[in-house]
Amino acid sequence: MELVPGRIPDYLLDDSVGLLRADDRVFEAMLDRWRTQQLARGLTTAHIKTSCRIVTRFQEHTNEYPWTWRPHHFEEFLADLRSGERPLKIPTLRSYTTAIRAFTSYVSDTRYGWVAFCERVFNDIPAQIVFDWNSPRHSTDDDVPTGRRALTRNEMQSLFDAADDFVDAEYAKGSKRWLPALRDSTALKVAYAYGLRRRELTRLEYVDFGPNPKVPDYGNFGAVQVRWAKGMKGSGPRRRTVLTTPEFDWVVDLLKHWLSPAGRELFATADRSRSLWPSERAGATSLRTFERAFARAREQAGLPDELTLHCLRHSYVTHLIEADYDPFFVQQQVGHQHSSTTSLYTSVSSDFKQKTIQQMITRRLRLDQKDGDHDG
């Protein structure tokens, strides 16, 4: 009888059962029971398949088995992944690291029975081989590419002006493209005003907005329920509520106009779904459409080519921090589990840094003056 999900199967504990190619059979059993353990933790089948594939690839690379794995095997594996014809990027290496660390944590946990079994059968035991000192480091440069940096407020204004100018130009020409352009311009601004990820933006529905009882002035746009937020690794989407902030309260009038007869309802497909962003034919607008709209506005605004749609989320975080919002509040707004992740999204301007240091100098001078007065 299993004590915990993922425990070593009973047939391996039966000494009367002989195993052909014992090394391979035991490794297969480890992977199988690890799948059970991950399912019990609520991880998605797609995540589990990927993790098992990574561990299998690692085993094939080492030509060793978990009870003989050592830290240098892991280091050599990552080194080869980084030095091949198509070297993997640091974020991908981290996903490999996470999978191997999780598997070795599982097989080296005495509760599952693998340690005692391997010691008895192979005269060796599985152990953790992934540590901070031999794993890809986290750094701002690695995690935030240039294309995801925050835009300055002037750059943001130029971007949105360019998107609006395109709408006006298409409307003046009598082109049917003005309505999709209005939709895309509105979507870019909503993404910025709520710090949304790209998928979160595309999955929004008009019923996701609701009032904030503490701020009745915002009417039905005091908060938005994000139903397709990024979850923990393998756990599937999570939900979070993002409040409309005074820093971005201009989005209230924007949404009122978009959800009026002069906006979204002009689409012939508007009554076929609850998507906030109906397409010209059916269903919701695709992510590629918004990425193209961002690229067009970026080009017309004369901004660097490497900037991407995701930089709107970085800009949201940065501009809230610059406006003196509490970092924990910002973390909750964007749905980060760790404050360190939010800090990686923050790239405050030099003006803000100078202002902050000047405030600290002024505060220190006041304290020194008080101390002098007391001494006198």
Side-chain angles (χ1 to χ4, degrees), residues 35-280:
R35 291 188 188 96
T36 301
Q37 186 245 22
Q38 292 182 93
L39 286 170
R41 292 170 53 202
L43 303 183
T44 64
T45 54
H47 173 78
I48 295 171
K49 287 180 180 179
T50 300
S51 298
C52 290
R53 187 162 57 246
I54 291 171
V55 172
T56 300
R57 182 176 177 181
F58 175 58
Q59 190 277 325
E60 291 171 350
H61 180 274
T62 63
N63 199 28
E64 299 280 350
Y65 293 92
W67 49 94
T68 59
W69 287 347
R70 299 295 182 263
H72 70 86
H73 291 130
F74 173 70
E75 295 157 22
E76 291 166 359
F77 179 58
L78 292 192
D80 286 350
L81 292 176
R82 282 288 281 168
S83 59
E85 291 184 4
R86 300 178 62 183
L88 297 185
K89 295 182 179 179
I90 295 296
T92 306
L93 285 185
R94 291 202 190 104
S95 67
Y96 278 60
T97 299
T98 299
I100 296 170
R101 179 188 283 120
F103 177 77
T104 49
S105 292
Y106 160 70
V107 293
S108 61
D109 190 325
T110 56
R111 290 175 296 177
Y112 298 108
W114 295 109
V115 173
F117 173 82
C118 291
E119 185 174 25
R120 176 170 58 85
V121 175
F122 302 114
N123 199 31
D124 208 341
I125 62 173
Q128 182 58 265
I129 60 172
V130 181
F131 307 96
D132 290 342
W133 48 266
N134 67 348
S135 301
R137 64 186 180 88
H138 284 267
S139 72
T140 303
D141 291 338
D142 289 339
D143 284 1
V144 186
T146 306
R148 294 187 177 188
R149 70 163 174 85
L151 276 70
T152 66
R153 293 182 186 277
N154 287 337
E155 287 177 327
M156 191 67 68
Q157 189 62 56
S158 297
L159 180 80
F160 291 154
D161 286 346
D164 291 341
D165 289 344
F166 181 72
V167 178
D168 294 340
E170 293 300 310
Y171 185 82
K173 291 189 300 185
S175 170
K176 293 181 179 180
R177 293 201 299 171
W178 80 267
L179 183 57
L182 175 63
R183 175 201 61 204
D184 299 344
S185 174
T186 304
L188 296 182
K189 295 169 187 173
V190 169
Y192 169 54
Y194 291 103
L196 300 175
R197 297 180 177 92
R198 295 171 300 170
R199 185 173 78 150
E200 295 170 355
L201 174 67
T202 59
R203 297 294 186 94
L204 279 183
E205 297 182 355
Y206 61 82
V207 295
D208 292 332
F209 291 90
N212 179 354
K214 302 292 185 181
V215 193
D217 290 347
Y218 293 163
N220 200 45
F221 301 102
V224 60
Q225 297 291 327
V226 179
R227 294 176 294 107
W228 291 89
K230 183 179 179 181
M232 300 267 303
K233 234 180 202 331
S235 66
R238 292 186 298 172
R239 289 174 177 250
R240 77 174 186 278
T241 300
V242 184
L243 301 178
T244 304
T245 64
E247 189 72 11
F248 298 97
D249 58 4
W250 47 262
V251 77
V252 173
D253 288 336
L254 182 75
L255 286 166
K256 285 180 180 177
H257 180 267
W258 175 243
L259 292 176
S260 74
R264 177 185 180 277
E265 294 178 25
L266 292 177
F267 278 89
T269 60
D271 59 350
R272 300 182 197 173
S273 75
R274 300 189 303 185
S275 171
L276 187 62
W277 319 115
S279 67
E280 296 90 318

Side-chain angles (χ1 to χ4, degrees), residues 19-29 65-67 121-122:
L19 292 176
L20 181 64
R21 298 175 59 190
D23 290 342
D24 291 332
R25 298 290 78 79
V26 172
F27 177 62
E28 290 169 3
Y65 293 92
W67 49 94
V121 175
F122 302 114

